[in-house]
Amino acid sequence: MAAAQRRLAEREAADRGAAEALCAHDLLVAQVLGELAGERFGQAEERRLARQLPALMRSRRFDTLHLVDARSGARRGRILGAGHYPGLAGGADPGLLDALGRAGDAPFVTRLRVRSDEGARDARVLVTGCTVARDRAALAVLVGRRLEEGFADGLLGDVSPVHFALVEPGEAPPELRGSQPPREVGALVDAAGARRLVLLANIDDAPLRAQIAALERRGLALAGVALVLALVFAVAVAYGLSRGLRELEAAARRVGAGDLDSTLTLPRRRTEVGRTAEAFNAMTRELAATQRKLLRAERIAAWREVARRIAHEIKNPLQPIQIEIETMRKLHARKHPSFDAEFESSTGVILEEVQRLNAMVTEFSRFARLPAPTATRFDLRELATHVGTLHPRLEVSVPDAPLEARADRDQLTQVLVNLVQNGADAAEARHGAGRGTVRLSMAPASLVAAPAVELRIEDDGPGIALEDRLRIFEPYFTTKSQGTGLGLAIVHRIVGDHGGSIDVADAAGGGAAFVVLLPESGPPAALSATLSEAELPLSTRRE
């Protein structure tokens, strides 16, 4: 646009220079001026100018060319010749001379009669002129450029992004291509100096915006491809890094479930994951060795406790047996008459205490000979149905879907029978014989973040005191007058051998609830191997 302003000023200056050159040096102008001074200009001279002026105008690259008589008097303003419209010769236009006088040597805008393919019409022309006088003769030379569409675009030549328009002041600008409003480059004035036309220009940035949009599309496409490649690379790297972590997590779950023989085999041991795997394998080996030591120590301590309790339990019936035998011996030695009656009473006491000893030894024998679980996979709902047939008053609640797990069917039957019988005894102790409620329910659960099954046995009995819950699973601890104290210890032992847990809670009706969690995968391999040894532990209670 700055270049257009310069070109407009240069065009006006060049037109002034061309007009002054015609006035000062052109032979045809000098000839006409001499003919005016000698009063020799007539119709023949007009015809000559009609032939010569168009060629002169085209050689100077003007659109209009007037030779006007500038002498005073009646002849003032007579058109001697017009290169753009020879038919104007002989006419008068004194206003054109007046406008030239007011403008001086500055270009001005006016309307002139021109000839086109459609015929004669008035057109806006940027006129520049000068006056030459000699020997009482005066001649005005006016050259002009038609202010039409080609004028604005010709200022800069073929500069495609730039578009120009000539509008009158206050006129709405035409639609110029571009994202910004057109700006004013310059103004053309009339002879009085008033603004007649405004030259507007705008830069058509549509091609640039199209190129930018194409670049953006290519950039987005490249960014998308780069993002996909980065994601693929990141997923591949993350998968490679996380594979070891996933195996480590799975192994940690197996160890948490009791499988201390679980190890990791990972390549590239120089990496952090490889070193972690080595440390994990070392840890599991140490844990397995420590567990074996703890189990042996537990067995020794458990058998010591059993020996102490057995000695205590055997000592209790031996004292009355000893007293009865000593009494009978004294009476027999004295030949006391009441010996026969005392003999009958004492032998009854002795037989009762012997039966207690026999029941105690039998129950302990069953506890000591409890074998390792023989696990098979079966639906625990069938086991619940079987226990329900053994206890008609038992309320059984199982899910509709199969509830499978690996376990020893016979040992789990013993667990449920013992727990249900304890619940029935507790309910009858509170409500009376043949009364009370015992409920057995089964549902999926989790144990150490592994799939498991929950067995829940509830009763509406008096419940279990908090201080007794800490000892409820110890051998020979019982709150019943006729109990041996080994039933719940056997239950605890079987559940522990299966890798599960058993806890005591309060039931909804105020009684006790025994909650058993059994892993679906069955007894841990490490625990089964330990239980197969010659020395069997008394309990695998989990704190």
Side-chain angles (χ1 to χ4, degrees):
M1 292 182 182
Q5 291 176 340
R6 291 193 302 271
R7 289 294 301 276
L8 180 61
E10 292 172 357
R11 178 67 56 83
E12 292 176 345
D15 289 349
R16 285 197 305 271
E20 292 174 355
L22 287 176
C23 290
H25 309 294
D26 189 77
L27 295 179
L28 181 59
V29 173
Q31 181 180 359
V32 173
L33 185 62
E35 290 172 347
L36 289 177
E39 298 294 338
R40 296 190 303 274
F41 190 86
Q43 293 182 352
E45 284 72 22
E46 285 183 1
R47 289 194 294 270
R48 186 191 72 230
L49 288 179
R51 295 191 303 271
Q52 294 177 339
L53 285 181
L56 178 63
M57 180 186 69
R58 287 193 295 269
S59 66
R60 298 296 191 270
R61 297 182 180 179
F62 288 112
D63 297 324
T64 64
L65 174 58
H66 287 83
L67 294 182
V68 181
D69 191 347
R71 292 175 297 176
S72 59
R75 295 170 296 183
R76 184 176 184 275
R78 182 167 66 96
I79 300 175
L80 303 179
H84 59 285
Y85 195 173
L88 296 177
D93 191 358
L96 188 59
L97 287 178
D98 295 338
L100 179 62
R102 290 194 300 270
D105 59 351
F108 62 92
V109 177
T110 187
R111 285 191 171 273
L112 298 177
R113 176 70 62 172
V114 297
R115 187 173 56 182
S116 64
D117 296 338
E118 292 81 10
R121 63 181 181 88
D122 291 337
R124 290 180 301 192
V125 181
L126 180 62
V127 177
T128 304
C130 59
T131 303
V132 58
R134 184 186 306 164
D135 297 333
R136 299 185 307 276
L139 177 65
V141 180
L142 297 97
V143 295
R145 297 188 182 277
R146 293 165 61 175
L147 299 177
E148 296 178 346
E149 183 176 356
F151 174 82
D153 291 333
L155 288 176
L156 288 181
D158 187 14
V159 183
S160 57
V162 183
H163 299 278
F164 297 93
L166 278 172
V167 297
E168 295 183 359
E171 182 183 355
E175 293 293 333
L176 295 180
R177 293 190 293 271
S179 58
Q180 301 295 328
R183 287 187 290 177
E184 182 177 329
V185 175
L188 303 179
V189 299
D190 58 12
R195 292 161 58 93
R196 290 291 305 276
L197 292 174
V198 178
L199 180 62
L200 300 179
N202 197 14
I203 297 178
D204 182 11
D205 56 356
L208 180 61
R209 286 186 279 113
Q211 293 179 5
I212 293 176
L215 287 175
E216 289 178 350
R217 289 193 296 270
R218 287 195 292 269
L220 289 176
L222 291 175
V225 173
L227 178 61
V228 171
L229 293 178
L231 288 176
V232 171
F233 179 75
V235 168
V237 172
Y239 179 80
L241 293 176
S242 63
R243 181 169 58 90
L245 296 178
R246 290 195 301 271
E247 294 184 7
L248 179 62
E249 179 185 4
R253 291 181 183 274
R254 292 194 298 270
V255 171
D259 183 11
L260 298 182
D261 292 332
S262 179
T263 58
L264 291 174
T265 303
L266 294 175
R268 295 184 298 178
R269 294 188 177 182
R270 295 182 180 180
T271 63
E272 288 79 2
V273 177
R275 288 192 291 268
T276 303
E278 290 181 352
F280 179 83
N281 293 336
M283 179 195 70
T284 55
R285 289 193 295 269
E286 292 178 2
L287 285 176
T290 303
Q291 186 191 53
R292 288 191 292 270
K293 294 177 182 179
L294 290 176
L295 289 176
R296 292 191 185 97
E298 182 184 0
R299 284 196 296 271
I300 295 173
W303 282 112
R304 286 176 180 172
E305 178 66 17
V306 169
R308 185 185 66 81
R309 289 184 176 273
I310 289 178
H312 176 75
E313 295 295 332
I314 292 178
K315 185 178 180 181
N316 288 336
L318 287 180
Q319 187 174 3
I321 291 175
Q322 181 180 358
I323 293 174
E324 294 297 331
I325 291 177
E326 290 176 352
T327 301
M328 286 190 299
R329 290 184 65 184
K330 290 178 182 180
L331 293 177
H332 184 270
R334 296 175 186 176
K335 304 298 184 182
H336 199 279
S338 62
F339 174 77
D340 292 339
E342 187 65 29
F343 179 81
E344 184 68 23
S345 175
S346 297
T347 54
V349 172
I350 292 172
L351 287 175
E352 182 179 351
E353 295 299 326
V354 169
Q355 288 177 356
R356 285 184 56 198
L357 287 173
N358 184 52
M360 184 188 311
V361 172
T362 301
E363 191 71 16
F364 173 74
S365 177
R366 288 176 53 202
F367 177 70
R369 292 197 307 268
L370 191 65
T374 303
T376 58
R377 192 167 189 85
F378 63 95
D379 192 348
L380 296 181
R381 298 181 303 170
E382 301 175 359
L383 184 61
T385 303
H386 173 67
V387 175
T389 59
L390 300 178
H391 295 270
R393 291 192 296 114
L394 177 66
E395 296 181 3
V396 179
S397 175
V398 294
D400 297 332
L403 198 62
E404 295 185 349
R406 290 184 68 255
D408 189 311
R409 184 189 294 268
D410 295 336
Q411 290 188 6
L412 284 190
T413 302
Q414 185 178 359
V415 168
L416 293 181
V417 168
N418 283 351
L419 293 178
V420 170
Q421 186 61 51
N422 282 350
D425 294 342
E428 289 182 355
R430 181 179 180 183
H431 300 285
R435 302 178 64 184
T437 303
V438 182
R439 293 177 295 275
L440 169 62
S441 61
M442 295 182 176
S446 61
L447 182 65
V448 195
V453 178
E454 179 185 280
L455 311 179
R456 191 178 186 91
I457 298 92
E458 297 180 326
D459 61 68
D460 58 354
I464 301 175
L466 292 177
E467 59 271 14
D468 292 338
R469 294 182 185 181
L470 299 176
R471 304 181 58 197
I472 194 70
F473 298 112
E474 292 182 2
Y476 299 106
F477 176 82
T478 181
T479 58
K480 299 180 184 178
S481 59
Q482 303 297 325
T484 63
L486 287 175
L488 289 180
I490 293 174
V491 168
H492 190 280
R493 162 79 179 276
I494 293 174
V495 173
D497 290 351
H498 280 76
S501 65
I502 181 170
D503 293 309
V504 183
D506 293 327
F514 287 86
V515 181
V516 179
L517 288 177
L518 295 174
E520 292 184 3
S521 57
L527 187 60
S528 300
T530 304
L531 292 174
S532 64
E533 298 176 0
E535 284 187 303
L536 293 175
L538 174 65
S539 171
T540 56
R541 180 177 179 182
R542 292 172 178 261
E543 296 296 337

